[in-house]
Amino acid sequence: MTIRQMQEEILRRKREEDIVILAHSYQRREVAEIADFTGDSYALAVLATKTRAKTVIMCGVRFMAETVKILSPEKKVYLANAAAGCPMAEQLEPARLSELKAEYPDAAVAAYINTTSELKTLCDVCVTSSSAERILKALPQREILFIPDINLGRYVAHKLPEKTFRFVRGGCPTHVRASREDVDRVRRAHPSALFLAHPECRFEVTETADYVGSTSGIIEYALKSDAKEFIVGTENAIVEHLQYECPEKRFYPLSKDFLCRDMKLTTLTDVLNCCRGEGEEIALAESTRLAAKKCIDRMIELGG
Ligand code: 13P
Ligand code: SF4
């Protein structure tokens, strides 16, 4: 089968069998093309509550598929490639988080959505890269225990000096690869380009950016901007998608190491298998689902 034939077969099954395909913005181009919706973690979480389809195939990583199942237990939810997990989501053990909660009893516990469902059961609120500042600002508590991404945490803490942040050392193994030296080098090579960065990058990187935002935020900014050249400080799928969307503009990767292996696992064959009912269906214990749902509901309530 060619790529095009496989895409056509997926699109046919999707139409006939009441399936919706969601794809995170880091997915391969050929996968993004057959999705009903592509977007950042926040958009995908909210879309999951809106779709009426009986089956959802998530092309992304495990916590994203779990979020859909938490919000829509009546749906059949497939993670297109069952091995795709976000390494950051598992960096903190629930037992360690319980110890930290005892250390900071007055702190609101805020979890980046890139966490397991078990960790979410212990948290007060979830945030995503596009909603973190808005949500954490709205919390009544002054003190915030933020897990697990210290880089996103530091970036938001800088924006909210009125809050006291407590961090645990964790972060995205892909985004930490870029340094200030990479920014200086790529800026020297492309002096007219605007630099767009994801807040999972180190603070020494985001503090030099012309724009900091989620994957959807970066895409939207580049599409709307009058500028013609951009340095993209996030996973290199965004460079590729933007180049397709805007062939008249130029996009340069901040680092050739910006590849998330987990996001690249999903293939069209995986999606087709799920359409045939042969993928891994997400299953969560009802007690875990309900406890984790509280902090996702709070995110949607405060995030708008
Ligand atoms: P976004 O919410 O910006 O899509 O980020 C998710 C993610 O995993 C980035 O590495
Ligand atoms: Fe997780 Fe980083 Fe991959 Fe995003 S890019 S899914 S945070 S490992």
Side-chain angles (χ1 to χ4, degrees), residues 19-34:
I19 295 171
V20 77
I21 300 179
L22 305 180
H24 185 263
S25 325
Y26 290 161
Q27 290 292 293
R28 295 167 185 276
R29 187 72 197 165
E30 67 269 22
V31 172
E33 280 178 359
I34 47 88

Side-chain angles (χ1 to χ4, degrees), residues 24-26 39-42 63-64 86 112 114 128-130 172 175 198 200 213-216 263:
H24 185 263
S25 325
Y26 290 161
D40 63 12
S41 312
Y42 190 80
F63 77 83
M64 296 175 177
C86 167
Y112 192 21
N114 299 40
T128 65
S129 56
S130 62
C172 164
H175 284 81
H198 195 280
E200 286 176 15
S214 73
T215 51
S216 294
M263 283 286 185

Side-chain angles (χ1 to χ4, degrees), residues 183-203:
V183 179
D184 295 343
R185 183 175 41 77
V186 186
R187 275 213 195 257
R188 269 198 306 277
H190 306 289
S192 314
L194 292 181
F195 172 40
L196 318 179
H198 195 280
E200 286 176 15
C201 291
R202 295 190 218 174
F203 191 67

